[in-house]
Amino acid sequence: MNDLTQGQRKELTAEQQWQQFSELKTAQDYIESLRGRKLEVFLLGERVEEPVDHPIIRPSINAMAESYILADEDPQLATVWSSIAQQQINRFLHVPESPQDLVQKNKMQRRMGQLTGTCFQRCAGLDTLSVLFSITYDIDKSHGTRYHQRYVDFLKKAQKRNLIVGAGMTDPKGDRSKRPSDQADPDLFMHVTRRTEKGLYVTGAKAHMTGGLNSHWICVMPTMNMREADKDYAVIGMIPATAPGLTYIYGRQSCDTRALEVGDIDKGNAKYGGQETLVIFDDVFIPWEHVLMDGEYEFAQELVSRFTAYHRASYVCKTGLGDVMIGAASSVAEMNGAETASHVRDKLVEMTHLNETIYSSGIASSYEATQHESGAFINDPILANICKHNVTRFPYEISRLAQDLAGGLMVTLPSQADFEHETIGPKLDKYLQGKTSVSTEDRTRMLRLIENMTLGRNAVGYLTESMHGAGSPQAQRIQVLRETDFGKKQSLAKRLAGIIATDADSHLG
Amino acid sequence: MNDLTQGQRKELTAEQQWQQFSELKTAQDYIESLRGRKLEVFLLGERVEEPVDHPIIRPSINAMAESYILADEDPQLATVWSSIAQQQINRFLHVPESPQDLVQKNKMQRRMGQLTGTCFQRCAGLDTLSVLFSITYDIDKSHGTRYHQRYVDFLKKAQKRNLIVGAGMTDPKGDRSKRPSDQADPDLFMHVTRRTEKGLYVTGAKAHMTGGLNSHWICVMPTMNMREADKDYAVIGMIPATAPGLTYIYGRQSCDTRALEVGDIDKGNAKYGGQETLVIFDDVFIPWEHVLMDGEYEFAQELVSRFTAYHRASYVCKTGLGDVMIGAASSVAEMNGAETASHVRDKLVEMTHLNETIYSSGIASSYEATQHESGAFINDPILANICKHNVTRFPYEISRLAQDLAGGLMVTLPSQADFEHETIGPKLDKYLQGKTSVSTEDRTRMLRLIENMTLGRNAVGYLTESMHGAGSPQAQRIQVLRETDFGKKQSLAKRLAGIIATDADSHLG
Amino acid sequence: MNDLTQGQRKELTAEQQWQQFSELKTAQDYIESLRGRKLEVFLLGERVEEPVDHPIIRPSINAMAESYILADEDPQLATVWSSIAQQQINRFLHVPESPQDLVQKNKMQRRMGQLTGTCFQRCAGLDTLSVLFSITYDIDKSHGTRYHQRYVDFLKKAQKRNLIVGAGMTDPKGDRSKRPSDQADPDLFMHVTRRTEKGLYVTGAKAHMTGGLNSHWICVMPTMNMREADKDYAVIGMIPATAPGLTYIYGRQSCDTRALEVGDIDKGNAKYGGQETLVIFDDVFIPWEHVLMDGEYEFAQELVSRFTAYHRASYVCKTGLGDVMIGAASSVAEMNGAETASHVRDKLVEMTHLNETIYSSGIASSYEATQHESGAFINDPILANICKHNVTRFPYEISRLAQDLAGGLMVTLPSQADFEHETIGPKLDKYLQGKTSVSTEDRTRMLRLIENMTLGRNAVGYLTESMHGAGSPQAQRIQVLRETDFGKKQSLAKRLAGIIATDADSHLG
Amino acid sequence: MNDLTQGQRKELTAEQQWQQFSELKTAQDYIESLRGRKLEVFLLGERVEEPVDHPIIRPSINAMAESYILADEDPQLATVWSSIAQQQINRFLHVPESPQDLVQKNKMQRRMGQLTGTCFQRCAGLDTLSVLFSITYDIDKSHGTRYHQRYVDFLKKAQKRNLIVGAGMTDPKGDRSKRPSDQADPDLFMHVTRRTEKGLYVTGAKAHMTGGLNSHWICVMPTMNMREADKDYAVIGMIPATAPGLTYIYGRQSCDTRALEVGDIDKGNAKYGGQETLVIFDDVFIPWEHVLMDGEYEFAQELVSRFTAYHRASYVCKTGLGDVMIGAASSVAEMNGAETASHVRDKLVEMTHLNETIYSSGIASSYEATQHESGAFINDPILANICKHNVTRFPYEISRLAQDLAGGLMVTLPSQADFEHETIGPKLDKYLQGKTSVSTEDRTRMLRLIENMTLGRNAVGYLTESMHGAGSPQAQRIQVLRETDFGKKQSLAKRLAGIIATDADSHLG
C-alpha cells in the first residue's frame, strides 16, 4: 500500500484494509504480523519504533501469543468448530453456540492465566465479538438495517485469517456528571464527525485499552447508555490497528522498567506481562462495510449490559493466576521447610477455597447461559456479576496470604546484580541459604514471582484490573440490584410468615 | 401383620416388610402413611402416641410433604424419568443419570428451601440412594457379591411406591480418639451382632438423623473409614421405620415449644420446621435382600467421600432459605419505610451476592459431574466441598445482615397474646404502628419470621446445620487439601519463575 | 402512701416520691425493694402480680442484682468515691471524674458480662446519669435555667440510697419519615401534655427499655434531634417506676418459656437473663424538681451524641460475654477430646483476637476521654463508635466459631426430661457418652450454654442487642463520617503527592 | 581517626568509638552526620560511594530525618524529659517511664506515618533501647553482672548526642528446622568468635535491617530463644555503623528505580521511602563496655517476647500511613466528582473504621502497660499482639478499598515523560481531563501516590512489612494462645452452665 497517497491511505476501502492480513498459523506468525507496522506508539516519553522488540512491550505480546500456542498444543480446549467459518478456529474468535462453548471458553481462560500469570489481553475482544452477533441482529430487527450480515462477513474473515480483534470501549468520560453530548470537549466520548459515501469518520479516545497495540483490528463501541442527543456517539465500527490517525500511549505499570534491566530474576515473570494503552483516534475513517451501529443509541445500554454478562464471567481467567499464586506460595513454603505447619496448610486451603469459589461462579454463569434469538448464547447475567464481584475481593486476600507465606524476605531481597557481584555474591549465597536442598537462586526466583504478582508488574493484572476491569465493584452491585427480583423473594417470605396466601403461592393446606 | 407373634414380627422377610407400603400419590397420602405406626417416639420426656398430630412434630412432616406437592405442581422440576422404574418418579428418589439431573436436583432443593424456609429433610436420603448405586457396583466388582442387583430391586420398589428413604449415617462415636472396635462400649458404632440364614441383626444408634421419624425406610451405613478390625461395623442395610427395636428420641430445637402455644404469629413460620432425631437400633433384623454391605470395610471410606461429593453440593438448598431471608429483610425494610436508603440496598445486594455465590458453587459442582462405571453421575468433589464450605460461612453473614435490617424490635416484640389482650392489645397497636399503610400485625409477622430463621426453630436449619451438616468446616478443608494437586500448581509457578523448564511445561521460546 | 387519694397518688411531690426509697445495702435488699410494687406488668398476655417471683423475669433481676454483689466482693472494681455524695458508691451510679473512671467502668462491665453471660441492664442508666451532668450544665449556661443543681440533688439521693435509674430513651417513632410533631398520633414521641404549678405531665412510650421493670427510677429523655416545632417533645424527667400511669409490656425472647420448664439444664444459663420492655406512660406527672429539660430542643442532638459517646464504649460489656463463649467453646472442645487439634486452637485464638479487639477500642475510647467544662469526662466519640461498630460484627463471628467448635449435637440434643426418663434416660447416657472422663450431663450443660448464647435467650443480648443497642451500625457509620476530618487527611496526602506545599504542611526541604 | 593502623581501627576502645559522634541538633545535622562515612554499601550490584546523595537511598534518610524535624516543630509530641540524661530528649531515644510515655510514643509514630507515608525506620531501634533497660536489669539480678549500668551509660551518651540506634535482630536462620548451634554454617546466626581482654568479636549477619544504613549505632541481639548449646549465640552488643567488618546490602523494593528517573510525579511519594538492608558482620569487635549480654542464653526468649510487646504496639505507625491512604482516596474521589456517592462515603468510613480499630488496640496496649522492677513500663502483651495482628489484615483491606476508589486509571496512566512530551503531552491533557476544576497533573499525582502505597515502593512498608515486621501473623497467634488464660474463661462458662459451683466462683444464691 506504500504507493498510495496520504488521502488514499486514510480512506482505504474495506477490501484494501483486508489486504494487509494474511492467515496466521503459529505464534511466530502472529508475532511477525505485528512487526513493521509503523504505529505511532509512545512509551516513557519516547516514540517506539518497533514495539515487538521493546523489552517492556514484548512480554505483553508473548502473553497474547500464548493463545496461538495453546490452540496448537491443546486444540480440544482452545479451538472449536465455527458454524460461521465452517472450519476449526481459535476459540478466542468464536461466538458461543452453546453453554458448553462458554464453559470451554472459561476453562481456556483459566489455562491461559496459568500459562502466563498475567492478563493475556484477548478476553475483551472475544466478548466483543460475541456480543456484536446478537446486538447487530437486534438492531437490524428493529431498524431494518443490515449490520448483522456485515458483521458476520467481517467475523468470517477474521476467523479464517486467525486475527486478533481488540475492544475499544472505555471513553475518557471527562466530567463524570455530564453526558457525552454535554461535555465541554466533544471528543471526550468518541463520536462520528462526518459521513461520506464510503464511510464515516470518528474522533475520540479509548482508555485502558487492554492489549490495544497487540491487535490487528480494534472494535470501537459505546461505553454506556446513550440518549437521542448522544446519537453521534452511538457508533460501532471495526478499525485496523494500522489505520491513519491512531496514536497509542502506553500505560506505566509497577516495576515496568525492570524489564529494561539485565538478568531475568528480578523481573519475577520475565516472559509475560499485560498491557494497557490509551488509544487516540484522530479523524479515523471507517468504511460502511465495517460500521455496525450508527445512531441507534437505544441499543447502547443493552450492548453494555450484554457485554458485561459475557465479560464479567471471563474474569475466571484470574483463577489461572490464582493457581500460579497458590503454586508459588506452596513452593516457597516448601523451600522454607514450612510446608507441614498446620497454619501453612490452612492458608493454602483457604487460597484454594477462594480461588475455586470464583471459578464456580464463572462457570455456573456459563452453564446457565440462555440462547438469544440470533442463535448466540449469553451468560446468565446475575451469576456473571457474582463472579466478577468475587474477583474484586478474593485475589486481594489470596495475594495477602501469599505474602504471608512468602515471608519478609520477598521485599528485602538484594538485586540479581548483587547476587552476581564478585565479592558480594558469594556472601549473599552464604547468608541467604535456606534448606540446603534448595538453591538460593530458586528461592529468590519464587519470591520474585510473588512480588511480581502482588506488588509488581503483574499485580496490575491480578489485583487492580480484577477490581476495575469489566466495571468496578459498584457497577456489579447496581446490576445485581437491578436484576434481582426482590418482589418474588418477598412473596416467599410473606407466605411463610402467614401474611398473604394468594392462590399462586398457596401450598400445603 | 397384627396376627404375627413377636418373634415373627421381628424377623419379617423382605416381602413381608414391603407389604406395609402401598403407592403414595399425594402429600395427603404421605401424611396418612405415617399415621398409626405405633413407633417408639419420645419428645420432651414423654412418649408420643401419634407424631402426625403432635404440634411440634407436624411442621417437620409438612416440610417433607411439600416434596410431594412440588412434584405435583411443578413436575418438570420435581419429577424425572427413571430408567430403573421405567416411569416418571419423584426426583427425590432418582439416581442421577446426567449432570443435568444433578443440576435439576439443586434447583429443586433451592425451590424446596424457598417453599419451606427450613430443612425439608429429604436430601441425605436422596444422596444415600445415589451413592449406593455406584458403591454396590464397586463392591460387587471387587468381591463378586450381588449387592447391586439387590439394591436396584429395592430402589425400583421404593420409586414405584413413591416412598421416603432416610439416611442413618452418623454413629454416636463415643471417645473420638478411638476407632469403632476400640470403644469401651461396642454399640457406640452400629455393628452386626449376629447373622442367621434369613438375615443379620444390628445394634447401635444413629445420631442427628434428619427427618428420621418421617421416613418409611432407614438406610443404615458406616459413618467413616474402617479397618479390618472394624469389619462387623462395615454394614449397610435397609430397615423399615416401623421395625421392632427402633426407638426415636426427638432433639430439642430453639423455641420448639412455641409450637405448643395458641396462635401462629410468634412461631414465625408456623407451618414448617425441621427434625433431628436420635434413633436407637436394638437388635434389629435386616433380611439378606436388604443387606448392601457386610464386612467390605475397605469401601467405607469411599462411600463416605462419594456421599459427601453429592451431599455437600446438596447444601444449595440453603440458598432457598437465603431467598426467604432476603425477602423477609427487604419486606421489613419496606415496612419500616427504609427501602430506599442506600445502606439498606447495599445490604440486600450483599445478601444476594453471598447467596448466589453459594448457589454457583453448588450447581458448578453438579455441572462438572463425572460418570461412574455404573452409569451414575457424581458431583465434582472439590467444587462440592467449596459449596458446603461457603455454606458454613455465608448464611451466618446473611443472617447478621437480616438482623441489621430487621431492627431491634425483632427481639423486644411482645407476644401474640399481648397483642390480643383486651386492654394491652389496643395500646400495642397504637404504639407499634409504623408506616400507616402496613398493619402492625404484618410487620410483627415478618419480624417473627426473621427471628425464627436467625434465633428460633429454623435457625437450627439455616445456621447450625449449615455448619455441621454433611461434615463440619474442617472436614471440607481436609478434603480440599487432599483433592487439590498442589504439585501441578507449583509447576505452573516454577515455569513462570524460570526455575524449571521441563518439556511438558515448555511453551513460548 | 396507701392512704392517699388517687389524685394525690398521681401528683406526688418529689419529697413524697423519695419516701418510698430507703438505702439498699445488699443484692438481697435490692431484690426485696422490687417486691410488692403492684406495677402494671404484662407478659405472654397476662398481668404479672409479682415480677420478682416470675420464672421468666427473675433471671433478669438476678443479672442486675449481680451489680450489688460485685460491689461487695470487688469494691475496688465496682465502687468508687463520689465527689457528689462524698462517699464510696456503686460505680454504676458514678459520673466519671477522670479517664481512669471510665476505664474502670469498662472493666467492671466486662466483669459483669463474665459473671452473668447476658445483658445486666445497668449501662444505659449509668450512661444517662453521666450525660445529664454535662448537658444540664450546658443548658443552664445557655438558658439561665437551674437544671444542673436539681440534677445533682437528685443524683446525690440516688447514690446514697444505692438505687437503680433506668434509661427511657427510644420513642416508638411511628412513621420514620416524619418528625415528632408531624406524626399522625402525637403520642408516638413522648411529649409534655400540660404543665401545672407543681410539675408537668407527659404521655408517650419508651420502647426496648432494657431492665425497665427492674429499676427504681426511669429517666425519660429525647431520642433524637428536635426542632422548634418539637419543643414539647424536648423533655427530660425522672419518674419513679411505681408512678401511676405506667404500663410495662415484656418483650418475648427466643426460648423464653424454657424458664417455665422443670429442670435447669435446657435453660443453658438458668440464673441470668436480659429484659426488654415497652413502657407506656399515660399522663404521668413529673414534679419540677425532677424536670431536667423542658423545651430546650436545641440540646437534644447533643444529648444523644454525647450519650452515644458514653454508651457505645459501654458495649465492651460484650467482651465479658465473649469470654464466656470462648470458655464454653474451649470446654466443649476439651470434652470432645479435640482441644489439641490445630484448627481448634486456631479458632480459639481467632475468637480471642476478635474479643480483645473490641475491648481495645472500648478502653481506648475511655482513656482518650476529654473533660467537659462541668467537670465530667466524656469518651472519645470516634473511638466509642469504632468500639460499638466492632460489636455489631465480631460477636456474630465469635458465635459462629463457637457453634463450629460445639458440633452439631448442640441442636439435636434431647431434652432434660428425656435424660431423666426412666427408660430413655439410660439409653441416652449410653449413647451420648463422649470421653469417659466427662459426664454426659456436663457436656450437655455446656452445649446448652452455647445454644443459649447463640440461638437462645441470651443470644438476644449477645447478638441482636450488639447490633442495635446504642444505635444500629449505620448510626455509627454516619457518626464516623461526621467526626472524621477528611480534609486533614487529604492535606497529608497532597503534601506527599507534591500537590500543595503550604507553609503549614511544609517539612523537610 | 584516619591516622590509626588497620588493626587499631578495628579494635577501637569505647571511648574512641564515641569520638566520632558529636551532638546533633537538627535534621540537617543528622543528614550531614551520615556523610563521608565510607561504609561498604552495595545497591543494584554496585558499591555506593555516598549513600546520602544516592537518589534511591536519600528518601529513606529523609524519612528518618523527619524525626528530628518533628522534635523541633512539635516538641510536646516528639521530645520528653529523660530521667537518665536529665534533659529533654528526642522521644525516639526514651525508655518509657509511664503508660503515658508509651501512648505519646504511639501518637508520635502515627504522626510520623502521616508525615512520611512510609516506614521511617526508627521504631525497632527505639523498642530495642526500651527492652534493654529491663533485660539488663534482670540479667544482672540473676547473674551478678553489670550490664545495666553499662547500658545506662551508653544510653545517656546516645540521648545527649541525639543519635540513632538501629536494631539488628533477625538472623538469616538458614535451615529453619535447626537450632543455631546445629546449622551447617555457624555464621547463619550471629555468634561470638573470640574474646579478648578488651572485648569480643562477632560474626554473622542481620537480615531485613530496617534503616540499618541510616543509623549511628547498631545493636545486635538474639532473634529467638536459645539453649545452653547456643551460648555463644546469646550476645548483645552496640556497634558503630562505621565499624570495620560491616557490609550493607540494600534490598530491592517495588519500583525502586523510579527514584532514578527524571521528574517527581511517577515516584508517587518523591521525598520519602523505607529501607531494608542485609548487614553482614565479619569479625567485628565490641569493647566490653558495649557488651550487654554474653552467654546468658536463658534471657533470649524473654528479650524477644518483651521486645515484641513493645514493638507490636509500635505498628500503630501504620495508622499514620492509613490516614494518608484515606486522604488520598477521598481526594481522588473528589477529583473524580464522586465524593457524594453513597458507596464512596461508605468505603471511606470503612477505611477509617479499620484504621482506628488498629489505633485503638495499639494505644490500649500502651495505656495498660505495667511497670517492671527496673522502673521501665512495658506494653500489655496480649493487646500488643492484637494490635499487630490487626495490622497484618486491615492495611490490605484499606489498600484494596483505596484501589477501588482510585479507579482503573491508576494502573494505566502514562508516564510523566509522556505528559511532558511535545506532541503527546497536550493530547494527554485533553483526554485525561476530569472535572475541569482539577488539573490533570494533580489527579495524576494523587493516583501515583496510591500506586506508591499499594503497589510501589511504599507498599513494602504499608503492606508486606505490616505482615512480617515484628513477627509474622502466626507468631502473634502463638503468643495470644500462650498468654490467654483459657482455664479462667472455662470457669466462667462452667459456673453459668451450672457445672461446677466452687466457692471462688459462687455468686448470687
Side-chain angles (χ1 to χ4, degrees), chain C residues 109-118 315-326 355 359 453 462, chain D residues 492 496:
Chain C
Q109 289 167 320
R110 183 172 187 166
R111 182 66 184 145
M112 284 291 292
Q114 292 177 336
L115 289 170
T116 62
T118 188
Y315 271 77
V316 288
C317 67
K318 301 304 179 198
T319 60
L321 282 75
D323 289 328
V324 175
M325 287 295 291
I326 296 165
N355 205 42
Y359 184 62
M453 294 182 78
Y462 188 52
Chain D
L492 296 170
L496 294 176

Side-chain angles (χ1 to χ4, degrees), chain C residues 414-471:
Chain C
S415 67
Q416 180 172 358
D418 292 310
F419 277 102
E420 291 169 358
H421 187 276
E422 201 179 355
T423 58
I424 296 305
K427 293 188 184 185
L428 289 175
D429 281 340
K430 171 187 172 78
Y431 282 110
L432 297 183
Q433 178 71 52
K435 267 167 76 172
T436 47
S437 59
V438 177
S439 80
T440 304
E441 181 184 320
D442 279 0
R443 191 160 67 125
T444 302
R445 284 182 176 277
M446 201 50 88
L447 290 171
R448 286 288 176 218
L449 175 60
I450 299 177
E451 183 197 32
N452 170 276
M453 294 182 78
T454 64
L455 294 174
R457 187 169 186 186
N458 290 328
V460 171
Y462 188 52
L463 301 178
T464 325
E465 191 195 305
S466 289
M467 180 64 82
H468 293 290

Side-chain angles (χ1 to χ4, degrees), chain B residues 69-116:
Chain B
I69 297 176
L70 188 65
D72 213 41
E73 298 193 348
D74 191 349
Q76 201 188 349
L77 182 65
T79 72
V80 61
W81 178 264
S82 165
S83 67
I84 291 172
Q86 287 291 318
Q87 68 175 56
Q88 197 74 4
I89 62 167
N90 191 301
R91 192 180 290 280
F92 277 106
L93 285 162
H94 182 56
V95 175
E97 304 181 7
S98 68
Q100 202 62 42
D101 267 0
L102 286 162
V103 173
Q104 282 295 97
K105 179 187 93 163
N106 294 156
K107 293 184 178 184
M108 173 180 70
Q109 289 166 321
R110 183 172 187 165
R111 182 68 183 143
M112 284 292 290
Q114 292 177 336
L115 290 172
T116 62

Side-chain angles (χ1 to χ4, degrees), chain A residues 207-339:
Chain A
H208 325 309
M209 210 192 130
T210 306
L213 203 52
N214 302 341
S215 304
H216 301 105
W217 287 91
I218 293 173
C219 174
V220 295
M221 56 184 162
T223 192
M224 52 181 252
N225 68 328
M226 299 275 165
R227 302 197 189 147
E228 186 156 13
D230 309 319
K231 229 170 159 175
D232 281 341
Y233 296 82
V235 58
I236 305 179
M238 294 292 179
I239 299 171
T242 52
L246 268 63
T247 309
Y248 301 84
I249 303 159
Y250 212 89
R252 290 211 75 166
Q253 297 181 319
S254 176
C255 297
D256 44 9
T257 54
R258 285 204 196 171
L260 304 175
E261 298 178 9
V262 174
D264 67 330
I265 296 180
D266 293 1
K267 298 176 174 63
N269 177 348
K271 271 194 205 153
Y272 303 107
Q275 175 192 113
E276 304 284 341
T277 45
L278 174 71
V279 188
I280 298 174
F281 298 77
D282 184 12
D283 200 39
V284 173
F285 175 71
I286 311 177
W288 290 120
E289 290 92 329
H290 293 161
V291 172
L292 302 173
M293 174 191 276
D294 178 20
E296 296 82 3
Y297 64 88
E298 75 274 26
F299 285 91
Q301 170 81 60
E302 182 60 20
L303 168 80
V304 174
S305 129
R306 208 175 285 172
F307 173 77
T308 56
Y310 285 116
H311 201 43
R312 289 180 183 164
S314 283
Y315 271 77
V316 287
C317 67
K318 301 304 179 198
T319 59
L321 283 74
D323 289 328
V324 175
M325 287 295 290
I326 295 165
S330 69
S331 293
V332 164
E334 228 172 89
M335 289 167 169
N336 290 341
E339 77 276 15

Side-chain angles (χ1 to χ4, degrees), chain A residues 115 323 367-368 489 495, chain B residues 115 323 367-368 489 495:
Chain A
L115 289 172
D323 289 328
Y367 274 122
E368 294 277 299
K489 292 184 203 290
R495 174 176 165 270
Chain B
L115 290 172
D323 289 327
Y367 274 122
E368 294 280 297
K489 293 184 203 288
R495 173 175 167 274

